Amino acid sequence: MATMSLTEVDKVEILTILDNTIDLLLPGNDKVKRLPVPPDAFERESLVAEHGFAALVTVTSGNTSESLLFDAGLSKKGLIHNMDVLDVKPKELHTIVLSHGHADHTRGLMGMVERLGERKMPLLLHPDAFLQRKVIFPDGHEINLPPPDRRILSQDGIEFIEESGPSYVLGKSVLVTGQVHRTTDFETGFPLHYALRNDEWQKDPYIHDDQAIVVNVKDKGLVVLTGCGHAGAINTIRQAQELTGVQKVHAVIGGFHLSGALFEPIIAPTVTALKELNPALIVPAHCTGWKAVHAMARELPQAFVQNSVGTRFVL
C-alpha cells in the first residue's frame, strides 16, 4: 500500500452531533468539553440522541480552521435539530464524508439539504454506499437498511464524489481511508449482512464501503474517527498507520460494532490490540455495545472517555 503524505495540523476538534446516548451531567476536562448546563437547561430546546452517528470535525493550522461533517444520523429531523442547538451552520461546512451507506449514518442528510439553498455541497462516499442492504437473522427476521437516495439528494444540493480508495479532504489535512484491508484474524465481517447486486440478494459480510477519517496532529499522532467500524477497529487503525506512515495513535473515536452475540467474542482481542496501541484517548460510541464499552473502560482506564451528544473533543 502506497504511503499518502498527511499534513500535520495544530489541532483537531471533534463534536458529537448525534450518538445513541446523551448525559448532561458527565464531567469534562481540558480536552473533553461537555455541553454547559445553564440554569434554564430544562426549559429550553434540548439535544436529542438516536441510534445513529454524526460528528463535526474541525482542523486548525495556524490561523485557519476548516470543518466537515462526518455521517448524518438516522432521522431527517435529528441531525438538523442538534446542529441548530449546537449552533453548527450547514453552509459553513466544506464537505460531508460518509463512513458507509447504512441509514443510521445517512438519512439525516434529507433534513440538512433543505438548509443548503442553492449551494452544492460535496459528499464523499464509497460507490457501494448506494447498494440496497438488509440483515437476515437465522429465524428469518429481516431489517432493511436503505441507502442514501441519489436522485433526491442530487436534486437538493448534494454533489456526490464516489471513491473506493483513500483520498484527501480539506486539502491534505484529513485522510479518508477508503476501503479497508482486512489484516487481523478476528475481524471477519458481518455474516448476516446482504446486499442487492444484479437483482439478487447476495451475502455482503465485508461491507466494503466502510471507511474512516484520519487526522495527524502535530507532536501527538493520529486521530482516527470511525462510523460503525464494520471493517474492524484494528484493521482500520492499521490501515491509517500504513497509509500515513505514522505509527503513533493519539485517539480513536467512534463506533466499533462489537455489540451482540456475533461480535462479543472479538471484544477481548480488540481490547488487547488497543492496549498495545496505547492511545491517549479512546471514545467508543454508537454501535460499540455496552459489554465492549465496559471492557475498554476497565482495561484502558486512563484513555477511556464516555461519549455523549454535545461533547467536543479538543485534540
Side-chain angles (χ1 to χ4, degrees):
M1 190 184 302
T3 300
M4 298 180 66
S5 175
L6 184 57
T7 302
E8 287 186 332
V9 302
D10 294 328
K11 181 176 69 174
V12 60
E13 296 186 22
I14 298 174
L15 171 63
T16 304
I17 298 178
L18 277 171
D19 195 7
N20 294 34
T21 59
I22 182 169
D23 186 342
L24 296 178
L25 304 180
L26 288 172
N29 55 46
D30 60 334
K31 300 298 182 184
V32 181
K33 306 293 186 181
R34 304 296 188 181
L35 194 69
V37 182
D40 62 346
F42 298 105
E43 303 169 45
R44 62 171 63 188
E45 199 71 40
S46 174
L47 292 168
V48 297
E50 65 180 28
H51 183 84
F53 190 73
L56 177 74
V57 180
T58 303
V59 294
T60 299
S61 294
N63 296 321
T64 301
S65 294
E66 295 181 302
S67 298
L68 64 84
L69 180 69
F70 181 68
D71 286 349
L74 174 62
S75 66
K76 178 179 179 180
K77 295 182 179 179
L79 175 69
I80 200 65
H81 171 85
N82 281 1
M83 289 177 75
D84 286 344
V85 174
L86 295 166
D87 196 30
V88 177
K89 296 176 174 57
K91 292 185 179 181
E92 295 179 357
L93 300 172
H94 286 76
T95 191
I96 304 169
V97 177
L98 290 186
S99 64
H100 62 302
H102 286 168
D104 51 336
H105 297 257
T106 66
R107 291 192 71 226
L109 292 172
M110 302 299 291
M112 196 187 81
V113 293
E114 296 176 359
R115 297 286 186 87
L116 292 175
E118 296 181 357
R119 180 188 173 187
K120 277 285 186 180
M121 174 71 74
L123 185 152
L124 179 66
L125 75 173
H126 188 289
D128 279 8
F130 290 113
L131 289 172
Q132 292 284 342
R133 261 79 171 259
K134 63 182 176 181
V135 177
I136 305 177
F137 292 93
D139 63 0
H141 174 65
E142 298 183 1
I143 298 176
N144 291 321
L145 300 168
D149 192 314
R150 184 197 294 266
R151 182 183 61 83
I152 293 176
L153 290 175
S154 61
Q155 290 175 347
D156 287 340
I158 295 295
E159 178 184 355
F160 294 108
I161 302 171
E162 300 180 44
E163 291 282 354
S164 58
S167 56
Y168 296 112
V169 289
L170 306 185
K172 289 189 175 181
S173 60
V174 177
L175 175 68
V176 183
T177 62
Q179 188 168 315
V180 175
H181 294 271
R182 270 56 174 182
T183 57
T184 70
D185 59 3
F186 55 89
E187 294 168 318
T188 57
F190 192 2
L192 307 183
H193 189 266
Y194 289 75
L196 186 64
R197 299 178 186 270
N198 301 318
D199 297 321
E200 180 182 353
W201 286 103
Q202 302 175 10
K203 289 188 174 183
D204 183 39
Y206 295 119
I207 313 177
H208 286 304
D209 51 316
D210 185 89
Q211 56 189 359
I213 63 174
V214 186
V215 180
N216 186 14
V217 182
K218 186 177 181 180
D219 299 326
K220 293 181 179 179
L222 300 180
V223 174
V224 181
L225 178 62
T226 66
C228 264
H230 286 292
I234 307 307
N235 283 332
T236 301
I237 295 167
R238 287 183 179 179
Q239 177 139 331
Q241 292 173 312
E242 188 171 356
L243 282 171
T244 63
V246 178
Q247 296 304 303
K248 187 176 181 181
V249 178
H250 180 63
V252 185
I253 301 171
F256 304 153
H257 213 278
L258 296 170
S259 182
L262 280 174
F263 297 97
E264 287 172 3
I266 70 171
I267 291 174
T270 300
V271 172
T272 297
L274 286 171
K275 290 174 69 175
E276 292 172 356
L277 290 164
N278 192 31
L281 178 72
I282 184 164
V283 187
H286 183 42
C287 55
T288 303
W290 74 268
K291 287 187 178 181
V293 170
H294 281 259
M296 292 175 194
R298 182 178 62 251
E299 298 296 328
L300 295 103
Q302 300 304 313
F304 172 82
V305 172
Q306 183 177 340
N307 200 24
S308 173
V309 174
T311 298
R312 186 186 304 270
F313 301 96
V314 183
L315 307 169

